[in-house]
Amino acid sequence: MTSDQTGRGAAGDHEPPRGASTTDTWNGLAYTASAQWLVLREEDTPTAEVFSISYLAQDPPAERPVTFVFNGGPGAASAYLHLGAVGPQRIDLPADGSVPAFPPVLVHNDESWLAFTDLVLVDPVGTGFSRYVEDGAAHADAGADRGQQKSGAHPGGSGDGRGQYFGTVRDLKAMGDFISRWLSENGRWGSAVFIAGESYGGYRVGRLTRHLQETVGVGLNGVILISPALEWNQLEAFMGRGDYAVEPWIDALPSMAAAAVHHGRSRAFKPGTPPAEVLRAAEEFATGEYASFLTRGASMPATDRERVINRYADLTGLDARLVARAEGRVGVNRFKRELLKDTRTVLDVYDATVTSPDPFPDRDAYEGAEPSLTAVKAVFTAAVNRLLRTEIGVVTDRRYEVLNDDLVAVWKNDEAQYYFQGCPGATDDFRHGMAVNQHTRAFITHGWYDLVTPYHTSERLRNLMRLDPATARRLTVRHFPGGHMFYTWQESRRAFTDALAVFVAEATSR
């Protein structure tokens, strides 16, 4: 692997930090890995430095598709998808996706998407090495890490950058500007374009399906939504709220039932029952008797209510008395603590097959960490820093923000016109974008054991989109064993990559 630093500074009065590039091969394919900052501007004034890592085949690049990849949060850098699934190198994880020993090791990734597309891993403003530019940063000293001293690393700086980027629509505009600029600077307007995002990144991609095509003028061959949070009301069950809601509780139940079987606590199914059988039965109950229970409330006869509560308890492995006290609405955060309570063990809500000791079992609220979020953050932080600073050769004093919690705290719904207006979902924009371009294909996917963005939400939404038959044929919905980051499971990563190779081929055929 060879490496060199490049100073692709923006023209005019502001230059970002120097980037770096290196060359290598992946399964015989020669490629260039480039880590660069691209300056975004408002009326010629620099407002942000967006960092990305691209993997571009050296010959012939213009004939290959290019996929822009985002993670979620908001506040997450692209490191999770980058080093967990799509890049030419990945973190060496156990086959079941559990946290590896430290320090993490980078290995060749046979399942890299580089097999069928060039890649651009994008870190939105405030994540990774991307920063907004504060007032006066346009004249930062060019001799040091340019922009470092006066570019905001975290929300709360004195400049205007935070207000321009930390919101629903502002984020879409920034990512649309980035994609358009990147295509221009790299001469790739003739390439097939795909966008892929996980979690909030899935929400971002859903809305970009419309924004890029209708506003920016970037046609899309395909969109890939990974564990997407398409509609915000789905989080009611996660938070344990929603006495008057219906859908969030329906959506959470099948994944809870699958978790109960996995841990041998289900009274409805024996351990080892195929997950597909469990999910099918739980879906039928959730959308049938349980949905009626949720909508009828106290008007349902007592004998019917008791039957539903007992069935719910059997499927989820919970005590029927607890389910009755909760009026059949057991929040995800309660479920994760109750299922294995006798062992002082809690489930991870991002992957309910993962467990950890409860450090404070005597306290009312769970005060421990989520292993697949907290522990894995350190794994990905160490790995991405090694890749960027040692192997690609980026030189900067900036901290790589894998997950910026401060950003989440200040994120705004910048479309609200009334005090009671909630954050808009992404499903309408997704449907709109699929209608704008009748060649765009979509792939929506989840992990079975994800309790934060349950797979059944997307299944339900698909059935409510009123898609005409031709559009429905352009939409693929497929789920895999695992949790929120199901691609960390070896077999799921392989199956997911195989499915996407077919998807990209179909989306680029004429």
Side-chain angles (χ1 to χ4, degrees):
M1 178 178 283
T2 60
S3 177
D4 68 280
Q5 284 200 317
T6 58
R8 192 179 67 176
D13 57 356
H14 184 79
E15 288 189 41
R18 294 177 65 87
S21 64
T22 185
T23 60
D24 206 343
T25 59
W26 177 87
N27 288 359
L29 175 70
Y31 69 87
T32 298
S34 181
Q36 305 286 351
W37 283 265
L38 188 152
V39 177
L40 300 185
R41 297 171 179 270
E42 291 287 341
E43 298 180 352
D44 295 328
T45 299
T47 54
E49 299 163 350
V50 177
F51 183 76
S52 68
I53 305 99
S54 61
Y55 295 101
L56 309 180
Q58 294 180 5
D59 184 40
E63 297 179 8
R64 283 171 56 86
V66 59
T67 302
F68 296 88
V69 181
F70 310 92
N71 266 101
S78 60
Y80 295 104
L81 282 170
H82 181 184
L83 296 178
V86 310
Q89 295 186 81
R90 63 172 176 82
I91 296 169
D92 189 13
L93 297 166
D96 62 357
S98 55
V99 179
F102 280 80
V105 176
L106 290 173
V107 297
H108 178 84
N109 182 17
D110 280 324
E111 292 79 48
S112 174
W113 295 7
L114 197 57
F116 46 82
T117 178
D118 285 352
L119 297 165
V120 184
L121 291 305
V122 187
D123 294 340
V125 181
T127 75
F129 286 147
S130 298
R131 304 289 187 261
Y132 63 84
V133 177
E134 292 190 14
D135 293 338
H139 303 289
D141 185 294
D145 177 9
R146 284 183 283 268
Q148 169 64 21
Q149 303 303 320
K150 297 183 180 180
S151 295
H154 300 282
S158 61
D160 295 331
R162 174 179 60 175
Q164 289 176 307
Y165 291 107
F166 300 153
T168 51
V169 172
R170 290 167 283 186
D171 173 68
L172 297 178
K173 184 179 184 301
M175 294 301 95
D177 290 348
F178 173 87
I179 290 172
S180 178
R181 287 278 309 282
W182 190 96
L183 292 172
S184 294
E185 290 197 6
N186 290 273
R188 296 299 294 269
W189 281 97
S191 299
V193 176
F194 293 78
I195 52 175
E198 177 185 1
S199 195
Y200 186 90
Y203 171 85
R204 177 185 286 128
V205 164
R207 301 201 64 185
L208 282 173
T209 303
R210 176 179 183 175
H211 177 77
L212 281 173
Q213 302 189 115
E214 187 175 66
T215 303
V216 184
V218 176
L220 295 172
N221 289 71
V223 296
I224 303 160
L225 296 84
I226 305 164
S227 305
L230 288 172
E231 299 292 322
W232 295 111
N233 67 347
Q234 73 184 61
L235 296 176
E236 293 283 1
F238 171 64
M239 300 300 294
R241 297 195 296 263
D243 287 353
Y244 319 110
V246 175
E247 299 98 327
W249 306 102
I250 292 173
D251 293 344
L253 180 56
S255 293
M256 292 165 68
V261 173
H262 177 85
H263 292 289
R265 295 302 175 99
S266 173
R267 294 186 295 277
F269 295 96
K270 297 178 180 179
T273 302
E277 180 181 338
V278 176
L279 297 176
R280 188 164 49 248
E283 290 169 11
E284 183 177 351
F285 169 72
T287 57
E289 281 191 298
Y290 182 54
S292 177
F293 169 91
L294 293 171
T295 55
R296 295 184 64 183
S299 71
M300 177 176 273
T303 54
D304 293 341
R305 286 175 56 83
E306 183 178 4
R307 184 181 67 255
V308 171
I309 286 172
N310 287 334
R311 176 62 170 165
Y312 182 105
D314 288 345
L315 283 168
T316 61
L318 299 176
D319 189 308
R321 292 169 296 182
L322 182 152
V323 176
R325 288 196 301 273
E327 292 288 334
R329 289 172 165 86
V330 179
V332 166
N333 277 325
R334 189 169 189 179
F335 171 75
K336 76 175 185 181
R337 211 176 182 201
E338 290 289 340
L339 185 67
L340 303 177
K341 190 173 183 178
D342 58 318
T343 65
R344 294 179 50 169
T345 302
V346 295
L347 312 185
D348 187 310
V349 295
Y350 290 92
D351 183 344
T353 68
V354 177
T355 62
S356 63
D358 188 343
F360 309 108
D362 56 316
R363 300 183 185 178
D364 291 338
Y366 178 64
E367 298 180 21
E370 302 292 346
S372 63
L373 184 67
T374 305
V376 85
K377 177 182 178 181
V379 172
F380 279 83
T381 298
V384 74
N385 274 284
R386 174 184 170 183
L387 176 71
L388 293 174
R389 300 179 192 274
T390 303
E391 299 198 13
I392 296 180
V394 176
V395 178
T396 178
D397 291 335
R398 293 184 183 181
R399 183 171 70 183
Y400 191 91
E401 298 284 353
V402 168
L403 186 60
N404 187 347
D405 293 327
D406 293 338
L407 191 153
V408 180
V410 300
W411 200 262
K412 301 295 183 184
N413 169 21
D414 46 17
E415 297 168 276
Q417 299 177 1
Y418 311 101
Y419 72 93
F420 55 80
Q421 185 172 345
C423 186
T427 312
D428 274 2
D429 280 351
F430 171 74
R431 291 169 62 184
H432 188 109
M434 292 289 285
V436 164
N437 182 350
Q438 296 182 36
H439 300 286
T440 301
R441 291 178 178 266
F443 193 111
I444 300 177
T445 182
H446 292 261
W448 296 338
Y449 302 103
D450 181 4
L451 300 178
V452 178
T453 57
Y455 80 90
H456 194 263
T457 301
S458 290
E459 292 285 354
R460 177 175 55 79
L461 291 173
R462 171 176 60 170
N463 293 329
L464 296 175
M465 287 185 194
R466 301 170 177 84
L467 301 178
D468 63 276
T471 303
R473 286 193 293 270
R474 291 187 280 121
L475 171 60
T476 300
V477 181
R478 181 175 173 184
H479 312 302
F480 299 92
H484 197 68
M485 297 167 60
F486 62 84
Y487 50 81
T488 61
W489 287 35
Q490 178 176 285
E491 291 306 316
S492 294
R493 182 174 60 253
R494 291 173 176 171
F496 181 38
T497 302
D498 289 345
L500 281 184
V502 174
F503 171 77
V504 171
E506 293 175 345
T508 53
S509 64
R510 291 184 179 274

